[in-house]
Amino acid sequence: GDIYTQQSVLIVPFVKDTNKYYIFTNDRSSPPDKAATGLHYSIVDMQLNNGNGSVLNPKAVSLLYYNSTHLTGCKHYNGKDFWVITSTEDSCQLIAFQITEVGIKAPIISYLNLSIPPPYNIEISPKGNKIALKAMGIDGSYYRYIIDFNARTGQFSNPFPVFLEQGGGTFNSGCSFSPNGDLFYDIEYDPNNRKYLLHQYDLKAPNIISSRVLINDFGVYFTLDMQIGPDNKIYIGSAFTPYLDQIAKPNELGLNCLF
């Protein structure tokens, strides 16, 4: 991994061996004086080293060189395999590697007419049917896109812009799907008032953009990331406060989500 890559590590269990794990590492986004080496994987066997685990040789096997900072994953449609997802940095080729019981298959590549500037996150719905990312459209503006993902084939399609980023591609990357996958939360920058706003979208609404509801005004606080916790609450981190914000009931519509 790398400190300049927001999504730098992903751990995926072996399909049939409960003692082994893939560790995917990503250091694509780097300063000019450091050579980036892309996406790699190593294998850990937890039976070795007296049960503490050990990394097998060869280590850091190269999978992809010219990729972006994106790195996420989900279960395959078949319920046993996994998908590991990344993208290229400039032309938005979304790339899915299928992890099977016999190893890592050749990548499935989907070309979308977008451009993804680093160093933003990619988020995937718990349902495994949609991803969200910030990208530049063909008009040169930044948008938050919701994109369909086929967990059976590994193909991406139908990028749908839910928000126009008028701040010139600000670095707030915080977004999250609700645990049930029906709602979407996005932290958006208001350049006119210079503040960050948390909105909720209903992905099942006839008009998703019109379903937008303001959940919280963070003011000038640079709010960076959102994650679903093991308790199915959403936690939000900021760059300028020692506290975590919480959405207590993220499956509920509007202010009933209890920010």
Side-chain angles (χ1 to χ4, degrees):
D2 191 274
I3 62 169
Y4 292 93
T5 303
Q6 282 181 300
Q7 294 177 297
S8 65
V9 180
L10 180 70
I11 299 174
V12 177
F14 267 51
V15 173
K16 284 194 171 182
D17 190 337
T18 58
N19 294 302
K20 291 182 180 178
Y21 298 84
Y22 291 100
I23 300 182
F24 295 89
T25 52
N26 182 20
D27 70 344
R28 178 63 198 117
S29 181
S30 300
D33 60 345
K34 179 181 180 296
T37 59
L39 180 65
H40 297 77
Y41 75 91
S42 300
I43 295 174
V44 168
D45 187 338
M46 294 304 300
Q47 289 184 304
L48 302 178
N49 193 22
N50 297 318
N52 292 313
S54 184
V55 183
L56 304 181
N57 287 312
K59 303 177 182 180
V61 180
S62 179
L63 271 179
L64 190 66
Y65 176 71
Y66 194 58
N67 64 299
S68 74
T69 65
H70 293 152
L71 183 60
T72 190
C74 70
K75 272 287 188 73
H76 190 281
Y77 180 84
N78 62 23
K80 60 177 184 177
D81 295 347
F82 295 89
W83 291 108
V84 171
I85 298 166
T86 185
S87 68
T88 55
E89 194 170 85
D90 54 353
S91 58
C92 194
Q93 295 179 38
L94 289 166
I95 300 169
F97 291 92
Q98 184 179 348
I99 314 301
T100 73
E101 61 185 66
V102 296
I104 303 173
K105 297 183 70 173
I108 305 297
I109 301 175
S110 303
Y111 179 79
L112 301 176
N113 195 19
L114 306 172
S115 178
I116 304 176
Y120 307 128
N121 285 9
I122 185 172
E123 297 293 335
I124 192 159
S125 167
K127 287 184 175 180
N129 64 339
K130 294 180 184 296
I131 64 166
L133 55 82
K134 187 182 288 185
M136 182 186 293
I138 58 176
D139 62 354
S141 299
Y142 292 94
Y143 295 88
R144 179 79 75 188
Y145 286 92
I146 304 291
I147 301 172
D148 292 337
F149 178 60
N150 187 325
R152 185 197 298 267
T153 66
Q155 292 285 343
F156 296 88
S157 61
N158 304 320
F160 177 76
V162 293
F163 178 71
L164 169 63
E165 175 64 85
Q166 301 179 38
T170 54
F171 284 93
N172 61 305
S173 60
C175 68
S176 177
F177 293 89
S178 59
N180 66 7
D182 293 339
L183 302 175
F184 179 66
Y185 294 88
D186 195 14
I187 298 172
E188 299 161 355
Y189 180 65
D190 176 0
N192 296 320
N193 298 298
R194 297 183 179 180
K195 57 186 180 180
Y196 295 87
L197 307 173
L198 173 63
H199 288 97
Q200 180 199 80
Y201 296 85
D202 183 357
L203 299 180
K204 298 179 71 176
N207 188 320
I208 294 175
I209 295 176
S210 296
S211 72
R212 183 171 178 250
V213 176
L214 177 64
I215 301 299
N216 187 63
D217 182 343
F218 291 103
V220 298
Y221 289 105
F222 187 31
T223 308
L224 292 170
D225 203 7
M226 306 173 67
Q227 295 290 336
I228 301 174
D231 55 4
N232 280 331
K233 299 177 182 180
I234 293 178
Y235 294 89
I236 306 170
S238 171
F240 299 108
T241 172
Y243 305 102
L244 286 174
D245 292 312
Q246 177 195 88
I247 303 174
K249 296 185 177 181
N251 290 332
E252 299 294 326
L253 284 170
L255 297 180
N256 290 330
C257 71
L258 300 183
F259 173 85

